[in-house]
Amino acid sequence: KAGVTQTPRYLIKTRGQQVTLSCSPISGHRSVSWYQQTPGQGLQFLFEYFSETQRNKGNFPGRFSGRQFSNSRSEMNVSTLELGDSALYLCASSPELAPGNTIYFGEGSWLTVV
Amino acid sequence: QKEVEQNSGPLSVPEGAIASLNCTYSDRGSQSFFWYRQYSGKSPELIMFIYSNGDKEDGRFTAQLNKASQYVSLLIRDSQPSDSATYLCAVIKSSTLGRLYFGRGTQLTVWP
């Protein structure tokens, strides 16, 4: 069974550009969530989708957005990139929104903004 | 008050010893509890999850949950140098299913 797949794994962008990251959850998983990890702030929650609906949202500016497709694949977009957006972006998937369900992470997308 | 707090460490134990990692959480509505292991430069790897009071064992790992005390711990028996990593405690609250609240992590070093 394939795990959570994130693409691209590494990318370098220039300030002001935008970036789109993709996540394919484990087959059968319907919940997809996104996290940003930086050395200074640790793991911070971005948003979570279930059945194409955003159910939870973290405290990030509107430059950060996401969506989920009918096949549960998800994308997140960051517009007008800033140096501080350099981070590891992690996608996680879970079967359902219920206690007792495990949550697995993908390998992440390393974003460097220069 | 932070949602999830971990003993910040770093924690250093000799090979073969028991490593004990602790975590407290603030919301009594927390329902599921996770321990992730993260090696430097890698993504978090799920090693244990628990949602009922008591102990849960998987190989060398034991997770302990005490909801009355709002406390969850991870014991690693017969620690190996390959266990050296940052261990992240995370919880899910009933009010925000699907969202993990993370502690800052405890860095564990197992020396031979």
Side-chain angles (χ1 to χ4, degrees):
Chain A
K1 194 173 187 181
V4 181
T5 303
Q6 292 188 244
T7 57
R9 292 291 320 283
Y10 304 92
L11 65 166
I12 301 174
K13 291 287 187 178
T14 304
R15 274 182 302 174
Q17 287 186 316
Q18 73 161 9
V19 65
T20 298
L21 308 177
S22 179
C23 172
S24 293
I26 293 171
S27 178
H29 285 198
R30 298 165 62 192
S31 170
V32 173
S33 52
W34 290 88
Y35 297 81
Q36 180 197 65
Q37 187 174 32
T38 58
Q41 298 297 320
L43 272 154
Q44 295 190 88
F45 172 76
L46 283 156
F47 25 66
E48 186 261 339
Y49 290 88
F50 182 79
S51 293
E52 302 179 68
T53 300
Q54 186 180 89
R55 300 296 294 259
N56 295 291
K57 189 177 189 305
N59 296 322
F60 278 81
R63 300 185 297 108
F64 292 81
S65 63
R67 59 178 175 169
Q68 186 181 34
F69 303 95
S70 58
N71 62 357
S72 294
R73 190 177 70 84
S74 177
E75 288 181 348
M76 66 162 283
N77 183 277
V78 188
S79 62
T80 319
L81 284 165
E82 301 176 359
L83 295 178
D85 297 333
S86 295
L88 174 63
Y89 289 89
L90 292 160
C91 170
S93 79
S94 178
E96 299 285 346
L97 289 181
N101 278 309
T102 51
I103 299 178
Y104 298 96
F105 282 88
E107 293 186 304
S109 292
W110 287 94
L111 170 64
T112 300
V113 182
V114 298
Chain B
Q1 184 181 11
K2 293 183 179 178
E3 298 280 356
V4 180
E5 300 213 46
Q6 296 182 240
N7 45 342
S8 58
L11 178 64
S12 181
V13 302
E15 184 174 357
I18 295 176
S20 177
L21 304 159
N22 303 315
C23 174
T24 58
Y25 57 95
S26 60
D27 190 336
R28 288 195 175 273
S30 299
Q31 293 194 330
S32 302
F33 307 85
F34 301 79
W35 284 99
Y36 289 89
R37 176 176 64 196
Q38 188 172 28
Y39 294 112
S40 180
K42 301 293 186 181
S43 67
E45 173 192 9
L46 178 66
I47 54 172
M48 290 290 286
F49 96 99
I50 186 169
Y51 58 91
S52 299
N53 265 333
D55 295 359
K56 180 180 179 181
E57 187 174 317
D58 184 0
R60 296 186 296 111
F61 299 97
T62 299
Q64 299 174 316
L65 174 61
N66 184 324
K67 289 188 176 182
S69 300
Q70 295 176 240
Y71 175 91
V72 58
S73 66
L74 179 70
L75 299 177
I76 306 174
R77 293 181 300 281
D78 188 24
S79 295
Q80 302 296 309
S82 58
D83 294 327
S84 298
T86 296
Y87 288 79
L88 298 161
C89 173
V91 305
I92 286 183
K93 302 194 295 185
S94 57
S95 58
T96 52
L97 292 176
R99 172 178 178 169
L100 285 163
Y101 291 83
F102 280 94
R104 293 303 299 266
T106 299
Q107 186 176 348
L108 171 67
T109 299
V110 181
W111 45 275

